[in-house]
Amino acid sequence: MSKNRQNKFLSLYKPVHDRFERFCRARAYYDMPYEDLMNETLLVAFQKFEDLKSEKAFLAFLIGISKRVLANAKRKKKAETVPDESVLKDYADPDNVYDQQSRVDVLHRALSRLPEQQREAIILFEITGFTMKEIMKIQHCGLSAVKQRLARGRKELARVVKEELLIKTGGAL
């Protein structure tokens, strides 16, 4: 392993770490621990580092790999089950206070109920901060498709969050 290669990889990773972690936290919810997703993605990314065509696309490179890692993990799962509340606490953001954790939990649970492409578009745009043009490239679609996924995803997300909050508060908002 070349020290120069390792230093180059780390120099590209450090500036995008926070955005990549936010993507993994939101995207891996229910499917696998986000730390595992990050670690597996970084391992594959380092192994395939020579395939990176542009340093500017490093975050998109990581996200593309993480999508494949997550898809492979889902395929390996035999039974699709929803974890109970005790398991969900493992996915909450440890840096937030309880009230914020509760909100993050509701958001992540709601995101997990969206269709795959809508969920990904919302996470990339709203949480990770990608532009619509960048999302077009990541999702291999046109601008109108990205806009439509975001609009439909936001609408469905609002409905699901409201439903989750109604359940959580016992029907009183």
Side-chain angles (χ1 to χ4, degrees):
M1 166 169 45
S2 165
K3 195 72 166 164
N4 188 31
R5 180 176 175 231
Q6 184 178 4
N7 289 337
K8 183 66 173 170
F9 185 87
L10 288 174
S11 72
L12 292 174
Y13 178 69
K14 284 180 184 178
V16 301
H17 168 77
D18 291 337
R19 289 175 74 190
F20 180 61
E21 182 177 3
R22 282 193 309 269
F23 174 82
C24 289
R25 278 184 190 270
R27 189 60 195 83
Y29 195 75
Y30 279 139
D31 297 324
M32 69 188 298
Y34 79 92
E35 296 98 339
D36 291 351
L37 177 60
M38 288 181 71
N39 290 334
E40 289 183 40
T41 299
L42 291 173
L43 178 64
V44 172
F46 188 71
Q47 292 169 346
K48 299 197 178 277
F49 190 49
E50 292 80 27
D51 296 346
L52 180 65
K53 292 181 174 76
S54 167
E55 291 180 7
K56 292 179 182 178
F58 186 68
L59 183 56
F61 177 68
L62 291 177
I63 287 173
I65 293 169
S66 69
K67 287 169 39 179
R68 287 187 292 282
V69 166
L70 198 54
N72 288 338
K74 281 182 175 181
R75 245 182 260 125
K76 290 177 185 175
K77 267 187 176 178
K78 289 190 179 188
E80 195 62 34
T81 60
V82 177
D84 62 24
E85 287 296 318
S86 64
V87 174
L88 293 177
K89 290 178 183 169
D90 293 339
Y91 293 94
D93 188 347
D95 301 326
N96 288 331
V97 296
Y98 177 74
D99 190 41
Q100 290 173 333
Q101 283 180 337
S102 179
R103 290 184 203 143
V104 168
D105 185 51
V106 168
L107 175 63
H108 285 188
R109 197 175 331 189
L111 278 168
S112 71
R113 291 175 54 189
L114 292 179
E116 183 84 21
Q117 291 177 333
Q118 290 175 10
R119 174 179 18 174
E120 186 176 284
I122 295 268
I123 291 169
L124 289 171
F125 187 76
E126 301 292 350
I127 296 174
T128 313
F130 278 91
T131 65
M132 287 189 196
K133 287 184 180 181
E134 292 169 323
I135 296 170
M136 283 172 41
K137 292 176 185 172
I138 292 170
Q139 290 194 326
H140 307 291
C141 64
L143 183 60
S144 62
V146 171
K147 288 179 180 180
Q148 187 177 57
R149 290 172 185 170
L150 286 170
R152 288 179 179 171
R154 287 178 183 132
K155 185 177 180 180
E156 181 65 10
L157 189 61
R159 186 193 68 72
V160 172
V161 165
K162 185 176 181 180
E163 181 180 302
E164 289 284 335
L165 291 174
L166 284 171
I167 292 169
K168 195 171 188 113
T169 61
L173 277 180

